[in-house]
Amino acid sequence: MLNILVLGLGQCGNRILDAMNREAFGRGGTFAKYYTRQKFPASVKTIAINTAINDLKGLVDTRAKDRLHVPHLHGVGANRTIGKRVFEENKEIIMSEIDKRGTFDLIFIMTSAAGGSGSSFAPLLVRELKETYKNAPIICITVLPFREEGSIFLQNAAFCLKDIIDEKPAGVLLVDNQYLKKYAGDIKSAYDKINNTTARRLLFLIEALNSEMLMVTDLGDLKTVMNGGIGIGTMGFYEASKDSTIKSAILGSFKPSGLLFPTNVYKEGARAMLIIKGDKKYLDLDLITKTIEELSTEVGQVFKGVLIQRGRPRVLSLFTLNSVPELEKLYAIAAEAIRFEKENRDKSKSQLDSAFSHIEDLEPIY
Amino acid sequence: MNGRRILIVVAAVALLILVLPMTAAGEEVTTNVTIGVNEYVALNNDIYIEVLDVGIDMGGSAQVHFYSYQDSVGTEKTLYMGDVPTEYTSGSGMTIEVTLDSVFSNGASFVIESSKKLYVTERHAGEVETEAVTVPKLTIMRTIDPNEAEIGQTVKVTLTIKNTGNGTAIDIELTEGTIAKTYKDGCPSTIDDIAAGATERIEYDLKLGGDAQPGTREMPPSVLNYRGEFGDSYSTQSQSSILEIIAETVLLPELTISIDPIDYVVTCGDKVPMVVTITNVGNATSEKVYVKGDLPPGVRLKGGELEPVYESIKPDKSEEYEVTLVANEEGKHVVEMKVMWADEEVTAVFEFRAEKSGLEKYYVYIIAAIPILLILLWIIKRRREYSY
């Protein structure tokens, strides 16, 4: 059984983690935690880490002992510089808490790239974890902000993602709030659905990695996929309708509507992993194999895993990309926002200096 | 010459001494006169008092004939002792008041009063006998000792007869009162003469017959009939007496059994103390006393000996023992305890009501509440587990 560590950093990471914990209760709903235990498909240890205690208190399905408050007032105020300093001051506490949960074969770090605690902790934590758990691949689930959230969040996202890539984790899977806003009309519902979707896909992946499969894919394959391209990827998902074929289900998981980050998989995909679950009657292995072979010519190496499970076919696709045009857009916006912010600041400073100049040679007279 | 003068003075003084008392005597208005039967006296040569007869009836009487020179016929009157004075006025107008003082066998003595000085100027016949008439007077007092006695016992009856008169009581007959079913032993029916002032004491035994009725009984008065020396008859009687007749004591043991009461309601499973007391209220020792206990269903003996045996219990003595019972079932429980001796037995009961304990009443609820509580605790635990 795989030992997997899932860390949720900052408010966003905490909530995705909480959604994972809720999903692990099965279909019990709100009260499931009162009468049942979480059932992860592997040996999963979760820790929600945050400097804002109110964010930790807001979690519902994460056990108290799995919530780690890094003491710094009530958050770092989206200031990554402070966040990094707080991490350095408390990394023993954080690592000690992680260490209590044993050794791991795979580590997921979930964080928003735009916030304060998560975006500043994630790169540093990758570094620390790589040193401590040398054999465990670290995959960062990085959530990108709405573009209109503000210049601080945009520049945080830009620098956070760069810092993470610089620390060379096993891979980065992007989740773009801006792209997924389509899930719901209001922001809160959108957040909830994004969190739940991300959580379900991760659990889907974990279950597949830890199960006996008809066609096998495993942690080694995952590492290979994540090494593909620029090490940045995303996940897609498709649940077949009644009359769908397995092929249409597989291709459906490549469609932009099922992706967590906007990309043209066929054009930008480097490597992929497909995990197919469903009733045996739907799983035509020949058709699956043939379909994947066809995809490999376009997407590159495609690893596949087939898991017999009740229900209609569900397909999770995980890609790494050779290029990420959407990121370029993001960075362009972020750079523009930074420049705009800088100009405004300079202008304000200039105005203030000008105002002060009126009394430069004067002294108060009483 | 001087001697003659002295003699004359002495003579004059002596004469004066003689004359003064005579003058004083002439002013007396009351005098006593004793006159024999068929004799008379003349007072102040005017009034004649003649005693015609005397009698002893009504305490003594005298028939008297008063007359005077100018009232030769006069008047005859009967005077009684203790009566008011009898007045007589002579023909010359002299008035006397005469009271009979005492009566003798052949005469009487009178007290005469008048406004004038009285002189017995004539007396016919000579001596009058001064011996008084004698009258016996008996009193009788009866005592019974003891005045409480059991059937079969004998009590002593004492009669004290006293002659308070001045004559001897003769021919004395005693009629003693009787209580049914009692028997006199030594009670005389006649008594010897009792002289004036003498006291006679008579004792006899009164035996209470076996068939006498117990209770308070009145013994009628003792009656004495007697006569005086002159043949006159008298009668007197004592007060009635009270005799308490007590039923004959039979020596038998008699046992009672009592059980100290307790708070009527006890709790099932609790110890219930039962204190049994056996008392010999009879007047004889009871040998071999057996106690039997009958425990109802649902009650068991927790401690102590329920059915002890006593070799003997003396009169007025008690034996007490305590056992501990436990009621297993709710409801009213009656424990019957029986004490047996000789061919007798008496029973006492010990009642109490057992109820389920307060907790037991709520067992159903508690049992129902336990899982709820556990679930609640579990929920709280889980909530705390997931609260931060």
Side-chain angles (χ1 to χ4, degrees):
Chain A
M1 182 177 282
L2 288 175
N3 292 313
I4 299 171
L5 174 67
V6 182
L7 301 173
L9 308 183
Q11 185 188 64
C12 175
N14 290 170
R15 289 186 178 180
I16 297 172
L17 185 77
D18 203 44
M20 278 186 72
N21 281 321
R22 182 163 53 254
E23 288 295 321
F25 279 119
R27 296 185 177 183
T30 309
F31 300 105
K33 64 183 175 187
Y34 294 118
Y35 60 84
T36 186
R37 290 282 181 190
Q38 289 157 322
K39 291 174 185 170
F40 286 103
S43 171
V44 176
K45 301 290 190 309
T46 64
I47 306 176
I49 301 171
N50 207 328
T51 55
I53 195 165
N54 285 339
D55 290 342
L56 290 171
K57 284 180 177 177
L59 304 182
V60 176
D61 295 297
T62 303
R63 290 186 299 179
K65 67 176 186 178
D66 289 337
R67 305 181 204 182
L68 176 61
H69 178 230
V70 179
H72 187 271
L73 297 177
H74 292 282
V76 297
N79 189 325
R80 293 188 70 245
T81 306
I82 296 174
K84 289 176 184 177
R85 181 165 52 81
V86 171
F87 179 85
E88 291 298 339
E89 289 169 358
N90 295 280
K91 68 181 178 186
E92 284 79 13
I93 297 172
I94 297 168
M95 294 309 293
S96 167
E97 195 65 31
I98 293 169
D99 186 55
K100 287 177 187 173
R101 282 148 176 86
T103 57
F104 310 105
D105 303 308
L106 175 63
I107 298 173
F108 288 104
I109 295 175
M110 302 183 298
T111 182
S112 161
S117 302
S119 67
S120 55
F121 280 21
L124 302 177
L125 195 54
V126 170
R127 184 193 303 163
E128 294 296 328
L129 290 171
K130 280 178 72 176
E131 285 182 11
T132 307
Y133 305 98
K134 292 183 170 57
N135 297 324
I138 300 169
I139 297 173
C140 292
I141 314 295
T142 306
V143 182
L144 302 177
F146 296 118
R147 306 298 183 264
E148 63 272 23
E149 276 190 85
S151 64
I152 291 178
F153 290 126
L154 285 172
Q155 62 181 300
N156 276 353
F159 286 104
C160 169
L161 192 56
K162 179 178 182 297
D163 288 348
I164 289 173
I165 298 296
D166 287 347
E167 294 297 336
K168 295 184 174 54
V172 176
L173 293 175
L174 294 176
V175 179
D176 190 353
N177 280 349
Q178 181 72 32
Y179 179 64
L180 296 173
K181 196 165 64 172
K182 63 194 175 191
Y183 279 138
D186 62 285
I187 296 294
K188 184 180 181 308
S189 299
Y191 277 141
D192 288 343
K193 291 203 172 184
I194 294 166
N195 295 339
N196 290 337
T197 301
T198 308
R200 285 191 192 115
R201 292 186 187 185
L202 268 180
L203 288 172
F204 196 105
L205 175 63
I206 290 170
E207 184 183 22
L209 295 175
N210 196 59
S211 301
E212 295 284 335
M213 290 190 281
L214 195 61
M215 298 176 82
V216 179
T217 186
D218 54 21
L219 184 56
D221 295 343
L222 177 65
K223 286 162 75 174
T224 303
V225 171
M226 295 313 297
N227 272 331
I230 55 173
I232 295 174
T234 190
M235 289 187 285
F237 184 79
Y238 189 84
E239 180 169 2
S241 61
K242 189 176 179 183
D243 301 321
S244 301
T245 62
I246 190 64
K247 180 178 181 178
S248 64
I250 292 169
L251 297 176
S253 71
F254 280 60
K255 288 180 180 176
S257 61
L259 300 179
L260 295 178
F261 178 78
T263 185
N264 184 341
V265 177
Y266 295 102
K267 185 178 175 185
E268 295 158 357
R271 290 174 188 169
M273 173 181 277
L274 282 174
I275 298 167
I276 304 163
K277 295 182 187 176
D279 200 298
K280 193 173 182 179
K281 66 184 178 184
Y282 299 116
L283 305 180
D284 182 343
L285 294 182
D286 289 339
L287 184 56
I288 291 170
T289 304
K290 188 178 176 184
T291 304
I292 289 174
E293 284 173 355
E294 289 172 6
L295 283 173
S296 295
T297 58
E298 298 179 79
V299 181
Q301 177 64 46
V302 177
F303 293 90
K304 61 181 181 298
V306 178
L307 187 64
I308 304 298
Q309 211 172 57
R310 283 198 307 172
R312 284 177 288 182
R314 285 147 286 152
V315 182
L316 175 77
S317 55
L318 190 148
F319 313 95
T320 47
L321 305 170
N322 287 318
S323 62
V324 191
E326 185 62 27
L327 269 186
E328 284 190 28
K329 291 179 190 172
L330 174 72
Y331 273 83
I333 295 170
E336 182 63 29
I338 292 167
R339 275 193 291 274
F340 182 73
E341 184 86 12
K342 187 173 185 303
E343 286 172 5
N344 278 343
R345 179 173 289 189
D346 291 344
K347 190 175 176 182
S348 298
K349 188 173 185 307
S350 172
Q351 284 178 341
L352 192 62
D353 290 342
S354 174
F356 289 161
S357 67
H358 290 289
I359 60 170
E360 197 171 44
D361 301 327
L362 301 176
E363 292 292 330
I365 299 171
Y366 302 106
Chain B
M1 189 63 180
N2 288 336
R4 288 175 64 186
R5 285 182 182 174
I6 293 168
L7 188 60
I8 290 168
V9 171
V10 170
V13 171
L15 183 60
L16 187 61
I17 292 169
L18 288 172
V19 169
L20 285 174
M22 285 177 65
T23 306
E27 293 174 356
E28 290 284 341
V29 294
T30 300
T31 188
N32 290 332
V33 175
T34 300
I35 306 170
V37 177
N38 297 322
E39 294 178 354
Y40 65 85
V41 295
L43 299 174
N44 296 8
N45 288 324
D46 188 8
I47 296 172
Y48 289 82
I49 302 170
E50 183 181 5
V51 176
L52 301 176
D53 196 6
V54 295
I56 59 171
D57 56 322
M58 303 289 286
S61 63
Q63 189 176 7
V64 179
H65 179 206
F66 297 99
Y67 59 96
S68 64
Y69 282 107
Q70 293 179 15
D71 178 23
S72 59
V73 176
T75 182
E76 288 186 9
K77 291 190 175 175
T78 301
L79 280 64
Y80 295 93
M81 286 179 68
D83 205 352
V84 297
T86 303
E87 186 178 279
Y88 174 73
T89 303
S90 69
S92 62
M94 180 181 173
T95 300
I96 60 171
E97 290 181 342
V98 180
T99 304
L100 178 58
D101 185 36
S102 57
V103 176
F104 310 108
S105 59
N106 58 346
S109 179
F110 303 91
V111 175
I112 304 169
E113 294 176 270
S114 174
S115 58
K116 294 181 179 178
K117 183 173 172 60
L118 294 173
Y119 302 100
V120 178
T121 54
E122 186 181 350
R123 179 179 290 274
H124 175 71
E127 300 301 321
V128 177
E129 293 181 12
T130 59
E131 187 181 1
V133 175
T134 59
V135 178
K137 187 175 183 181
L138 299 183
T139 61
I140 181 167
M141 187 177 70
R142 181 174 64 195
T143 59
I144 301 175
D145 184 33
N147 56 6
E148 273 187 15
E150 290 181 2
I151 291 172
Q153 282 189 334
T154 299
V155 298
K156 188 173 288 296
V157 180
T158 302
L159 300 174
T160 303
I161 305 167
K162 188 174 182 180
N163 187 349
T164 59
N166 58 2
T168 302
I170 62 173
D171 300 334
I172 303 168
E173 294 179 353
L174 171 64
T175 304
E176 181 64 309
T178 299
I179 297 174
K181 308 298 181 186
T182 62
Y183 306 99
K184 303 183 187 74
D185 183 12
C187 179
S189 58
T190 59
I191 299 170
D192 293 342
D193 296 350
I194 302 172
T199 298
E200 184 71 23
R201 190 181 187 85
I202 296 167
E203 290 182 352
Y204 70 89
D205 292 334
L206 180 66
K207 182 175 176 59
L208 309 184
D211 48 356
Q213 288 297 311
T216 301
R217 297 285 174 261
E218 183 179 3
M219 188 172 186
S222 302
V223 178
L224 285 177
N225 292 305
Y226 60 98
R227 290 192 298 122
E229 294 171 46
F230 301 104
D232 42 325
S233 299
Y234 304 95
S235 180
T236 188
Q237 66 181 33
S238 69
Q239 298 288 323
S240 60
S241 304
I242 297 299
L243 178 61
E244 189 73 29
I245 299 175
I246 302 168
E248 189 177 12
T249 303
V250 179
L251 294 178
L252 279 177
E254 183 179 354
L255 301 185
T256 63
I257 181 168
S258 63
I259 306 172
D260 291 357
I262 60 163
D263 288 342
Y264 188 63
V265 178
V266 301
T267 302
C268 286
D270 281 0
K271 292 178 180 177
V272 181
M274 182 175 75
V275 179
V276 181
T277 304
I278 299 157
T279 305
N280 186 352
V281 297
N283 53 11
T285 298
S286 178
E287 306 291 344
K288 285 287 182 190
V289 177
Y290 299 92
V291 183
K292 294 290 179 188
D294 185 13
L295 297 180
V299 175
R300 62 184 173 84
L301 182 66
K302 176 75 175 177
E305 187 181 359
L306 184 65
E307 298 181 338
V309 177
Y310 299 102
E311 288 302 317
S312 66
I313 301 177
K314 292 180 178 177
D316 296 329
K317 297 293 181 187
S318 295
E319 293 288 349
E320 181 180 292
Y321 71 98
E322 179 175 342
V323 297
T324 303
L325 307 177
V326 171
N328 299 322
E329 297 174 6
E330 63 177 334
K332 181 182 177 183
H333 298 292
V334 179
V335 179
E336 186 176 287
M337 298 300 298
K338 187 185 293 183
V339 61
M340 297 180 287
W341 76 101
D343 293 330
E344 302 287 337
E345 65 178 40
V346 289
T347 302
V349 294
F350 178 63
E351 292 185 0
F352 62 94
R353 176 173 288 282
E355 290 184 347
K356 286 182 177 177
S357 67
L359 198 60
E360 199 173 349
K361 284 178 185 174
Y362 298 106
Y363 273 173
V364 174
Y365 303 105
I366 291 169
I367 290 169
I370 285 172
I372 294 171
L373 191 64
L374 290 174
I375 290 169
L376 198 62
L377 289 173
W378 174 258
I379 288 171
I380 291 169
K381 176 178 176 291
R382 293 303 291 265
R383 183 173 175 75
R384 292 186 66 178
E385 202 172 332
Y386 286 87
S387 294
Y388 188 78

